[in-house]
């Protein structure tokens, strides 16, 4: 598993860095993989809305145990 796979720590980090809450309803307790994917998707949208370009990154990439993000 990864530290950010459920999106909770990622959202918390973004709220600290961005100095504002992440908009939308996200799951503070993930009960299944769909909650995790939704959280990560919300985090990705938050990053994009801040004007940061993300290329070819989907929620599955961060949540995946294959860890495609950051690999060459």
């Amino acid at each position: 598993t990864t530290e950010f796979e459920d999106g909770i720590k990622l959202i918390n980090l973004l709220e600290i860095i961005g100095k504002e809450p992440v908009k939308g309803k996200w799951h503070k307790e993930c009960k299944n993989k769909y909650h995790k994917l939704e959280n990560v998707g919300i985090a990705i949208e938050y990053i994009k809305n801040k004007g940061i370009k993300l290329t070819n990154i989907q929620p599955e990439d961060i949540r995946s145990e294959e860890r495609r993000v950051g690999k060459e």
Side-chain angles (χ1 to χ4, degrees):
T1 62
T2 68
E3 290 292 318
F4 295 125
E5 77 168 344
D6 63 8
I8 295 171
K9 289 183 180 179
L10 181 57
I11 289 173
N12 289 330
L13 177 64
L14 292 172
E15 289 180 331
I16 291 168
I17 293 170
K19 297 181 181 170
E20 66 181 7
V22 171
K23 294 178 182 163
K25 184 179 177 191
W26 55 277
H27 305 279
K28 292 179 176 38
E29 292 183 28
C30 295
K31 297 181 180 175
N32 57 51
K33 70 178 183 178
Y34 302 106
H35 289 172
K36 294 176 182 181
L37 288 172
E38 286 177 7
N39 282 353
V40 174
I42 289 169
I44 289 172
E45 282 304 310
Y46 179 86
I47 293 168
K48 288 179 179 178
N49 289 337
K50 290 291 186 182
I52 299 170
K53 185 177 179 182
L54 298 176
T55 304
N56 201 25
I57 296 178
Q58 303 299 319
E60 296 84 4
D61 298 326
I62 294 173
R63 207 197 84 64
S64 172
E65 291 187 16
E66 294 175 17
R67 298 184 192 185
R68 293 186 295 187
V69 175
K71 277 192 168 181
E72 294 188 40

